[in-house]
Amino acid sequence: MSQIAQNLINLKQKVPDHIKIVAVSKTKPVSDIMEAYNAGHRIFGENRVQELLDKKDRMPADIEWHMIGHLQSNKVKFIVPFISMIHSIDSFKLLRAVDSEAQKTGRTIDCLLQFHIADEETKSGFSREEVEEMLRSNDFRKLERVNICGVMGMATFTGDMDKVRLEFRSLAGIFRELRKSYFSHSDDFREISMGMSGDYNVAIEEGTTMIRIGSIIFGERKH
Ligand SMILES: *Cc1c(COP(=O)(O)O)cnc(C)c1O
C-alpha cells in the first residue's frame, strides 16, 4: 500500500465518522492525489484557483473539490461551474460574485463564511459584526444562488494549544449564535470547518464538522 493511502487510513481511524476530512492537496502533484483517490478518498481542497483548475482537468470527475484559500472576485467564474464548496467567503463582494456567476451556470454554490479568529493580520476573514451586518442587509437577502452552510476559521499558528482551543471555541460559539439568530430555518447551516494537521485534535474536541488536512496525508510541503 502507498504511504499516502496508509496515512489516510491511520487518520480516519482517529477521526469520528461524522467529521468530514478535506484532503488538502495544494502544491502536491496529481500522482499523489490519485493515490488518495485510489484509497477511496473523494474530498480534496486547494487554495489557488489556477492550480485547482489544472488538477481538476486531469483528475476523475467524481471528486468533490473544495476551495479553501483566499479567493478574488474576478476568479470566481472559473470555479463556479464545478466547485463543491467554497470555505473562504470573506466579504460580501465575493459572495455576490459567487451568486452572480452561479446564476449563469444554473448552479447553487455551498459556501462557508470565513471568520478571522487568529492573531495574525495575514489571515483573512470576517469579524462577527461584519457578518451580522451583512446577514441583516437587503442586499444579502437578494442572493439566490448561494447556500450558506456554516463557518470556517484558521487558528493562530502557534504551539500554544490553549490559545488555539479558545479560538476554535469562539468560532463554534459564533456558529451556534448565527444558527439561532439567522439560520434556524435552514437544515444546511451545519458545518464548522476548523482544524488542520497541527491542531485537528483540538478542533474535534471543540466541535468541528470538517477538518482540512494536508501534511498528515501527503507529507510536509516544501513551499
Ligand atoms: C494548507 C491549508 C490547510 C492544511 O494545512 P496542513 O497543516 O498541511 O494540514 C488547511 N487549511 C487551509 C486554509 C490551508 O491553506
Side-chain angles (χ1 to χ4, degrees), residues 105-214:
T105 62
R107 298 189 75 215
T108 297
I109 308 298
D110 287 348
C111 293
L112 303 180
L113 304 175
Q114 180 172 357
F115 282 83
H116 188 268
I117 56 171
D119 281 346
E120 294 111 323
E121 287 299 323
T122 47
K123 287 179 177 151
S124 57
F126 286 106
S127 69
R128 190 169 141 187
E129 293 71 34
E130 287 167 339
V131 160
E132 296 214 34
E133 190 185 320
M134 176 178 86
L135 295 177
R136 282 197 286 258
S137 71
N138 281 324
D139 284 343
F140 177 78
R141 289 193 196 102
K142 285 182 202 148
L143 304 181
E144 293 177 345
R145 292 279 182 179
V146 289
N147 188 25
I148 309 291
C149 296
V151 302
M152 181 272 220
M154 287 169 93
T156 303
F157 185 69
T158 172
D160 181 354
M161 285 300 136
D162 293 335
K163 180 173 175 57
V164 168
R165 183 181 299 281
L166 289 179
E167 291 173 354
F168 285 160
R169 194 170 291 174
S170 82
L171 185 63
I174 290 171
F175 167 78
R176 283 193 300 272
E177 284 171 30
L178 293 182
R179 189 178 52 185
K180 185 166 63 143
S181 304
Y182 300 95
F183 295 98
S184 51
H185 57 280
S186 161
D187 292 335
D188 295 332
F189 192 83
R190 58 175 180 220
E191 305 291 357
I192 306 178
S193 168
M194 63 183 186
M196 313 183 0
S197 292
D199 55 21
Y200 77 92
N201 281 312
V202 180
I204 291 173
E205 288 165 6
E206 296 301 329
T208 187
T209 67
M210 293 181 129
I211 55 176
R212 309 178 310 272
I213 306 289

Side-chain angles (χ1 to χ4, degrees), residues 85-121:
M85 181 174 271
I86 300 174
H87 291 230
S88 42
I89 299 294
D90 57 4
S91 70
F92 181 69
K93 179 174 177 237
L94 178 59
L95 193 61
R96 192 165 48 194
V98 173
D99 185 71
S100 99
E101 289 303 324
Q103 304 259 9
K104 294 179 196 164
T105 62
R107 298 189 75 215
T108 297
I109 308 298
D110 287 348
C111 293
L112 303 180
L113 304 175
Q114 180 172 357
F115 282 83
H116 188 268
I117 56 171
D119 281 346
E120 294 111 323
E121 287 299 323

